[in-house]
Amino acid sequence: MQNFHASLCRVVASTALVGLAACGGNETADIAATVAPSASNDAECITIAEGMYIFENGKFTAAAAPQPQIVERVTRASTGWVGSIETAFTAAGYPWLGLVVRENVATLTGLAPDVDAKRRALEIGTAALQADPAGSTEMTLIVDGIGVESGERGPGESLAALAQGVISQDSCQLALNQAMDGQKIQFPTNRGDISPVSMGLLDAVAGIAMLCDEYAVEIGTHTDSRGSNEYNQVLSQKRADAVRHYLLEKGVSIEQLTAVGYGESVALDTAETYEAWGRNARTEFRLSSRP
């Protein structure tokens, strides 16, 4: 094959996907292809439009171009300082540990064999980022996106997926919903301060908000029906304010966040049972367009 530039080539079995660009200074691509070693040296040239083509059985056929975010994902994960850090993870005995970076948010990813391996990997990954000249300068937030084979998922899994795709209001809201699915921000009983066990989850929420800084985020905190309406209103506002303060400390813009305490006024389950109380006491994050 002569006189063309390949922007992307992936071979699966006998099929090649080739991106062709103009090679003769024209707006079309001149392709000269020798289809077999025994073919004549006089290459046959045809003129086709610039684009993506599949070469199979000696013929070129048009193919859809790959999505830009997929190409970006491969590039980001295999080159530059990010690629160097991932190579160091493998050398340290953690080949399953990965790193997803977008803007100033870094998410450690992978599936650990057990909880202890996850803990060590988080320590190693965080230390590697902090020691790297580029990583320590560019990254302001490091998030745990590491799952465990036994079933525990990393709180930053949806953040890592968002960081590798298109940022929109829908994708940002989906990432928040997925992060909170089956999870709760924990507070000590009758108190407004955040339990340390929820800080990894809130780090993931902070990362999503930072990548989605074009949108406003409402922090809505709800209580169950135990206690007076007035008490629950005050308690829920304290908890919403505490979450807002935590996210601000992690780097989320102050103009982006609103904290609203709903008390017991928006119940998901009106039954007076422990199960209903557990459902109703919750924190929700809702995106909207910024003014």
Side-chain angles (χ1 to χ4, degrees):
M1 188 175 297
Q2 302 171 345
N3 297 330
F4 75 91
H5 300 291
S7 61
L8 175 65
C9 181
R10 183 176 62 187
V11 179
V12 180
S14 62
T15 301
L17 177 64
V18 183
L20 304 178
C23 54
N26 301 321
E27 294 182 356
T28 59
D30 296 327
I31 303 173
T34 303
V35 298
S38 59
S40 169
N41 290 332
D42 295 326
E44 179 183 0
C45 292
I46 60 174
T47 300
I48 64 174
E50 180 177 341
M52 303 302 302
Y53 295 87
I54 293 175
F55 180 71
E56 187 175 21
N57 298 325
K59 297 180 180 179
F60 283 99
T61 56
Q67 295 298 314
Q69 62 268 30
I70 296 176
V71 176
E72 180 187 3
R73 184 186 315 169
V74 173
T75 301
R76 184 167 55 245
S78 60
T79 63
W81 64 269
V82 175
S84 297
I85 288 180
E86 288 186 316
T87 300
F89 291 162
T90 300
Y94 296 87
W96 48 265
L97 181 59
L99 177 62
V100 174
V101 167
R102 184 157 182 170
E103 297 182 14
N104 59 335
V105 179
T107 308
L108 293 163
T109 63
L111 189 63
D114 53 55
V115 175
D116 286 340
K118 169 176 174 167
R119 175 184 54 79
R120 293 192 298 270
L122 277 173
E123 293 173 352
I124 288 173
T126 300
L129 278 161
Q130 293 173 341
D132 185 87
S136 60
T137 302
E138 298 178 19
M139 298 298 103
T140 60
L141 179 64
I142 303 173
V143 179
D144 168 20
I146 303 173
V148 178
E149 290 182 4
S150 61
E152 176 187 339
R153 61 189 180 94
E157 283 185 2
S158 65
L159 167 62
L162 176 69
Q164 296 174 91
V166 176
I167 301 294
S168 68
Q169 184 171 341
D170 287 343
S171 65
C172 291
Q173 185 66 66
L174 177 62
L176 286 171
N177 294 347
Q178 290 176 336
M180 297 301 297
D181 184 26
Q183 307 296 319
K184 294 182 70 172
I185 307 300
Q186 301 288 339
F187 303 89
T189 303
N190 294 325
R191 289 169 56 182
D193 49 314
I194 300 165
S195 173
V197 299
S198 293
M199 291 179 178
L201 178 57
L202 280 178
D203 287 349
V205 171
I208 294 169
M210 290 165 71
L211 295 186
C212 302
D213 58 358
E214 293 185 7
Y215 308 103
V217 180
E218 180 195 274
I219 305 159
T221 303
H222 305 257
T223 68
D224 59 47
S225 59
R226 291 174 292 180
S228 68
N229 291 340
E230 294 78 8
Y231 177 83
N232 287 332
Q233 180 64 46
V234 171
L235 178 62
S236 65
Q237 188 62 54
K238 285 182 178 179
R239 289 176 171 178
D241 289 338
V243 172
R244 180 175 181 271
H245 179 72
Y246 185 92
L247 298 180
L248 290 175
E249 285 191 328
K250 291 296 177 176
V252 182
S253 168
I254 190 171
E255 295 84 6
Q256 190 180 2
L257 298 175
T258 302
V260 181
Y262 287 95
E264 59 183 87
S265 64
V266 189
L268 298 176
D269 190 335
T270 58
E272 293 296 327
T273 64
Y274 284 106
E275 290 77 12
W277 294 335
R279 290 190 66 202
N280 291 333
R282 66 197 188 276
T283 301
E284 298 175 331
F285 300 93
R286 298 189 183 279
L287 264 68
S288 61
S289 299
R290 293 180 66 172

